[in-house]
Amino acid sequence: MTTPVCTGASRAVAAAAGHPAHVPYASFSSYVRARGPVLLRTARSLTANPSDAEDLLQTALTKTYVAWERIEDHRALDGYVRRALVNTRTSQWRKRKVDEFACEELPEQEVVPAPDPAEQQSLRDAMWRAVLKLPDRQRAMVVLRYYEDLSEAQTAEVLGVSIGTVKSAVSRALGKLRDDPELTPVR
């Protein structure tokens, strides 16, 4: 017995037989259970990796599922699925981009030496000592702008001053930090 092809016809036959309208999809499930191992062998013959074969079969079965109601002769389903397997594998092969090259020696990754943590801590300490030398108002603006990452407008709002005041005070503070003798070796 063949399953009706047309959507309307399958619903009409299902309704006449007293079955729910999803009969074609139940027949798809039984087809996959019955023919799955054979189709998987076919997929494995098309790929070198068993996992890729399973993915290939799943993709082909998805295409078959989408076209299930349009397939007129369900006796030829194996041929349809095999054709979907081959077409899918061909598409994958065409889309594949070659990123690997065989060579005699492995390329060594350039090792960038990590900065010394002691030097980093020493630099942080020197920076904080220099910031602590600034007048209170300039120090507050530098901390809000660069350590708290606030904008000039946000810093002005927090301190209750104009944006121009923040700009000029931060500029003077950065000039003092540039001239600080403790920070000279850093530059």
Side-chain angles (χ1 to χ4, degrees), residues 115-173:
D116 183 16
E119 285 182 27
Q120 288 180 327
Q121 188 60 46
S122 173
L123 178 60
R124 280 190 206 101
D125 292 343
M127 180 59 78
W128 272 112
R129 282 191 300 275
V131 168
L132 289 173
K133 293 178 191 174
L134 295 173
D136 291 341
R137 188 172 176 173
Q138 286 180 356
R139 183 178 344 124
M141 290 182 192
V142 167
V143 168
L144 290 173
R145 279 287 290 130
Y146 297 105
Y147 285 95
E148 296 297 323
D149 201 26
L150 297 181
S151 67
E152 291 167 341
Q154 291 169 327
T155 302
E157 186 179 325
V158 168
L159 295 176
V161 297
S162 70
I163 295 174
T165 303
V166 171
K167 288 181 180 182
S168 63
V170 167
S171 176
R172 283 191 301 275

Side-chain angles (χ1 to χ4, degrees), residues 63-136:
K63 290 177 181 181
T64 305
Y65 181 82
V66 170
W68 189 253
E69 291 186 2
R70 291 179 290 149
I71 300 172
E72 293 179 8
D73 186 6
H74 280 223
R75 290 174 293 178
L77 281 172
D78 283 353
Y80 184 93
V81 176
R82 283 190 186 105
R83 185 80 253 166
L85 284 167
V86 170
N87 290 346
T88 302
R89 181 64 184 140
T90 302
S91 295
Q92 290 172 347
W93 175 78
R94 286 181 179 154
K95 290 178 187 176
R96 187 184 73 194
K97 189 172 82 173
V98 177
D99 288 334
E100 299 176 14
F101 300 100
C103 60
E104 295 286 324
E105 296 178 24
L106 292 175
E108 295 296 325
Q109 292 181 353
E110 188 173 320
V111 179
V112 178
D116 183 16
E119 285 182 27
Q120 288 180 327
Q121 188 60 46
S122 173
L123 178 60
R124 280 190 206 101
D125 292 343
M127 180 59 78
W128 272 112
R129 282 191 300 275
V131 168
L132 289 173
K133 293 178 191 174
L134 295 173
D136 291 341

